[in-house]
Amino acid sequence: MKSRRMRELPLHLMILPSVIMLICFSYLPMGGIIIAFQKFIPAKGLFGDQKWIGFDNFIYLFKLPNFTSVLWNTLFIAVMKIIFGLLIPIVVAILINEVRHNSLKKGIQTAIYLPHFLSWVVLGGIFIDILAPGDGLVNQVIKALGGQPIFFLGDNKWFPFTLIVTETWKSFGYGTIVYLAAITGIDLSLYEAAQVDGANRWKQIWHITLPGMRMVIVLLMVLSLGNVLNAGFDQVFNMYSPPVYASGDIIDTFVYRIGMLEAQFGVATAVGLFKSVISLTLISVSYWFAYKFADYQLF
């Protein structure tokens, strides 16, 4: 037993920095949840003599006239991102798997994966230029085809869909790599047997490839459901503006404005706590469904 512990000691030391960072940045800050139930005054400090007001911050929050639209925007944008973030990588992974030229396959994988490493600070500026209503590349193409310019980042009708499409473009490469890894784990003898039985490529994909990817699809679906209220602060913050608050303002940007710009720290913390409770509930429910209907278990 002692020798086993000595062998495993380097592994424990290897993960120690990550554990320390997790405790410092994820668990210790949870003590600040108490601010949601206080009329918080920063000058008194977190452990100072703050006035306890119970659920008044939550009541004030739910009575705000624009909170309903913020919640709807968050749900709509996040759910659509989850749907396309699951479907597009599956389709692309299957298509790439059908490519027989290895160099071409690796080149495609690299090209679609690169945007994942770019921050929204960079991409936000790029998309603002590309989607500009006057001289933007996209609108130039639209005008060349006889259409009218579209203000993608300033029109409430187009802005949510612009967020969804650009986020899908940025992140689908990562999901594709995950699904390709799942496809490589499928037993090749199944395809050979299907060919002997006369199954074409479409039937092989439907009856072998997709079932072989099922557990990975369920896993990513379960993990993504916890992000139903995470519509992407970085992206929205770098691309939105006051004219599209009606359709693009989400919980995270709402918290930023209330907490950082208006200094209503108690209300901002109440919003964050509300979001965390809903996310925890959704993760628990989705895990139960995954266990019940897909026999998926983490432990």
Side-chain angles (χ1 to χ4, degrees):
M1 180 65 69
K2 186 176 180 180
S3 59
R4 178 184 175 183
R5 290 178 179 175
M6 292 302 295
R7 289 198 307 269
E8 294 178 350
L9 181 61
L11 301 177
H12 288 90
L13 292 176
M14 186 184 301
I15 66 171
L16 183 60
S18 299
V19 173
I20 294 175
M21 291 183 64
L22 182 66
I23 293 173
C24 291
F25 295 102
S26 296
Y27 287 97
L28 291 180
M30 290 178 68
I33 290 175
I34 194 173
I35 297 175
F37 306 97
Q38 298 174 335
K39 187 175 181 179
F40 185 73
I41 300 176
K44 294 183 178 180
L46 182 61
F47 302 103
D49 185 20
Q50 303 286 353
K51 182 180 179 181
W52 185 267
I53 59 174
F55 291 94
D56 287 358
N57 284 327
F58 293 91
I59 296 173
Y60 171 79
L61 169 67
F62 295 137
K63 287 184 177 179
L64 288 175
N66 58 338
F67 181 71
T68 303
S69 63
V70 168
L71 185 59
W72 164 250
N73 294 339
T74 304
L75 288 171
F76 176 75
I77 294 172
V79 169
M80 294 302 292
K81 284 182 178 181
I82 289 173
I83 293 174
F84 284 98
L86 288 171
L87 293 179
I88 300 300
I90 293 173
V91 174
V92 174
I94 292 174
L95 292 176
I96 292 178
N97 186 60
E98 296 300 311
V99 176
R100 292 291 172 254
H101 198 288
N102 287 330
S103 298
L104 178 60
K105 181 186 294 187
K106 293 179 179 178
I108 295 173
Q109 292 180 34
T110 302
I112 64 176
Y113 192 41
L114 282 177
H116 177 75
F117 295 99
L118 299 177
S119 71
W120 276 112
V121 176
V122 176
L123 288 178
I126 293 174
F127 280 121
I128 288 174
D129 290 337
I130 293 177
L131 301 176
D135 56 354
L137 177 61
V138 174
N139 276 303
Q140 287 185 11
V141 173
I142 293 175
K143 289 188 289 186
L145 296 175
Q148 295 295 322
I150 299 173
F151 197 177
F152 290 99
L153 301 180
D155 189 332
N156 282 299
K157 181 176 68 174
W158 290 99
F159 185 70
F161 300 100
T162 303
L163 293 177
I164 294 165
V165 172
T166 52
E167 170 64 26
T168 303
W169 171 83
K170 180 181 184 296
S171 60
F172 84 94
Y174 176 81
T176 300
I177 300 299
V178 175
Y179 290 124
L180 280 171
I183 292 174
T184 58
I186 300 175
D187 190 355
L188 295 178
S189 63
L190 297 175
Y191 292 101
E192 296 173 357
Q195 290 176 354
V196 172
D197 291 337
N200 56 27
R201 296 301 303 176
W202 168 249
K203 290 184 178 179
Q204 291 176 37
I205 292 171
W206 185 258
H207 294 287
I208 300 176
T209 306
L210 286 175
M213 300 166 61
R214 186 185 65 176
M215 294 306 297
V216 175
I217 294 173
V218 170
L219 173 61
L220 295 182
M221 186 181 300
V222 169
L223 295 176
S224 64
L225 287 178
N227 293 320
V228 166
L229 294 183
N230 289 327
F233 172 79
D234 292 345
Q235 179 194 20
V236 178
F237 183 75
N238 284 285
M239 296 179 67
Y240 84 150
S241 57
V244 290
Y245 279 176
S247 64
D249 197 18
I250 60 174
I251 290 178
D252 291 331
T253 54
F254 183 68
V255 169
Y256 169 78
R257 289 203 310 277
I258 289 181
M260 300 301 294
L261 302 183
E262 300 179 13
Q264 299 185 56
F265 301 106
V267 179
T269 307
V271 179
L273 181 57
F274 166 77
K275 174 184 172 182
S276 299
V277 171
I278 298 297
S279 298
L280 176 62
T281 303
L282 291 171
I283 290 175
S284 301
V285 171
S286 61
Y287 177 75
W288 182 83
F289 275 107
Y291 170 73
K292 188 74 173 179
F293 298 105
D295 195 27
Y296 173 80
Q297 297 183 63
L298 283 175
F299 307 104

